[in-house]
Amino acid sequence: MTTLDRRQFIKLTASGLLVAAAPAWSLPAPKKKLGVALLGLGNYSTNLLAPALQDTRYCELRGIITGSPQKIPRWQKKYGIKDANIYSYDSMDKIADNDDIDIIYVVTPTGTHKRFSVQAANTGKHVWCEKPMAMDEKECQEIIDACNKNGVKLAIGYRMQHEPNTRTFGDYRDSRPYGAITGLSSFAGYAGNGRPADDWRMQKEMGGGALYDMGVYAINGARYMTGKEPLSVTGRHEKSHPDIFKEVDETTFFTMDFGEGVTADCGTSVVKGFNHLKTQCENGWYELKPMQRYSGVTGKTSDGKRLASIDKMQQTLQMDNDAQAILGTGPALVTGAEGLADIKVVNAIFKAADTGKSVSIG
């Protein structure tokens, strides 16, 4: 697989049925798995990443880095983590001398990603950073530079680019079974009424709000399906809970212009539920609905094809693919450049919504 690029990773037969090019779960496991330390033990690490790591073939959970020492006994009891592989945020620099740990996965609020990712890279360990990558382009570049300086791999946690149905439709941008793309609709959001004011998702400086949290799915989905970068964006915010959402956006609608008449109509919200990615083409369409849930991602096409959801955790596939990239047995699917590109669009949308004008993306 070392010679495969991201567009060759998944291929289609002439009948349109999915054929995976050496999926991680079908290949022999290496003699020694890579050791992962989760940095941040919130909901995503606790209920998704740690369970997913129990089924990975190329990496395994070996350490934790936390600012909440009261969580340590529960994690040790459940996963058998050695005392020597437990670190606090203040002591994590010592992980440089720990051969058990090969990868640090940063799973903390967005506003802390730059700090912890750079710190992780400086230990000489490979870095996996949860999406969105960081707050702005400068922070993203600092992460990339730190990883390059230390000679370590960097992957951003866009699990959907590892999800087989998403990859199948992504391949259509080259094979064009329905002709050229003429437009897209990309929406990601969940219904709710906000969170307490002290929750980081309600705080601007921590990367809270709909656009950072859910909007990157809509942005990344449209970019991935077209294989292109938007030339400009327009945007507007909508508020139905102004007394609750005082710092961050609750619903944001935006349009991405890819040039040559192709635009993506997009939206994101943390008070309204919508979840689909539809690609319109000259001779038909294809759609993921839902397009970013943790399970149940299914696809359909205008001529009746159906893509069933996978029966494995998306995070298991994501982490195995990223581990293979480190081992040199698979392609690097989601690099730091990909994370930076999305943040560039996020900040342009904020500017467009604030000014009411179209904003060019250089």
Side-chain angles (χ1 to χ4, degrees), residues 54-214:
Q54 305 314 298
D55 197 34
T56 42
R57 297 173 62 82
Y58 296 90
C59 55
E60 62 186 2
L61 177 61
R62 291 207 195 120
I64 54 175
I65 305 167
T66 180
S68 303
Q70 71 276 11
K71 296 180 180 179
I72 294 173
R74 183 171 72 251
W75 279 75
Q76 282 195 292
K77 181 178 180 181
K78 188 168 185 177
Y79 297 111
I81 298 170
K82 299 188 296 186
D83 289 344
N85 292 350
I86 296 173
Y87 299 86
S88 69
Y89 296 150
D90 293 330
S91 69
M92 66 174 285
D93 291 348
K94 297 178 181 178
I95 209 168
D97 300 319
N98 189 337
D99 292 338
D100 268 358
I101 306 301
D102 302 288
I103 302 155
I104 296 175
Y105 195 154
V106 178
V107 201
T108 52
T110 306
T112 67
H113 283 183
K114 190 268 289 186
R115 168 196 164 192
F116 286 130
S117 294
V118 169
Q119 194 173 355
N122 287 339
T123 69
K125 307 300 180 181
H126 301 290
V127 180
W128 294 347
C129 177
E130 190 48 44
K131 69 83 196 163
M133 185 175 177
M135 294 295 292
D136 55 38
E137 295 171 57
K138 181 177 181 293
E139 287 192 350
C140 292
Q141 191 61 54
E142 287 184 45
I143 295 172
I144 293 170
D145 291 345
C147 290
N148 289 340
K149 177 183 176 182
N150 289 283
V152 299
K153 298 281 189 179
L154 170 64
I156 310 303
Y158 280 105
R159 58 190 163 82
M160 304 319 303
Q161 288 201 32
H162 301 265
E163 194 278 320
N165 293 338
T166 305
R167 294 194 63 79
T168 295
F169 285 162
D171 190 69
Y172 284 3
R173 65 183 167 236
D174 295 322
S175 60
R176 295 190 174 190
Y178 302 96
I181 294 173
T182 59
L184 303 96
S185 174
S186 188
F187 284 74
Y190 55 85
N193 293 297
R195 299 170 186 258
D198 61 353
D199 190 295
W200 72 266
R201 288 180 175 84
M202 304 297 286
Q203 299 172 13
K204 183 177 181 178
E205 66 176 10
M206 295 301 287
L211 197 51
Y212 275 113
D213 187 14
M214 299 297 291

Side-chain angles (χ1 to χ4, degrees), residues 252-274:
T252 299
F253 296 102
F254 55 98
T255 299
M256 303 166 66
D257 186 348
F258 290 94
E260 300 180 341
V262 177
T263 61
D265 181 31
C266 305
T268 185
S269 180
V270 290
V271 297
K272 297 181 178 182
F274 31 58

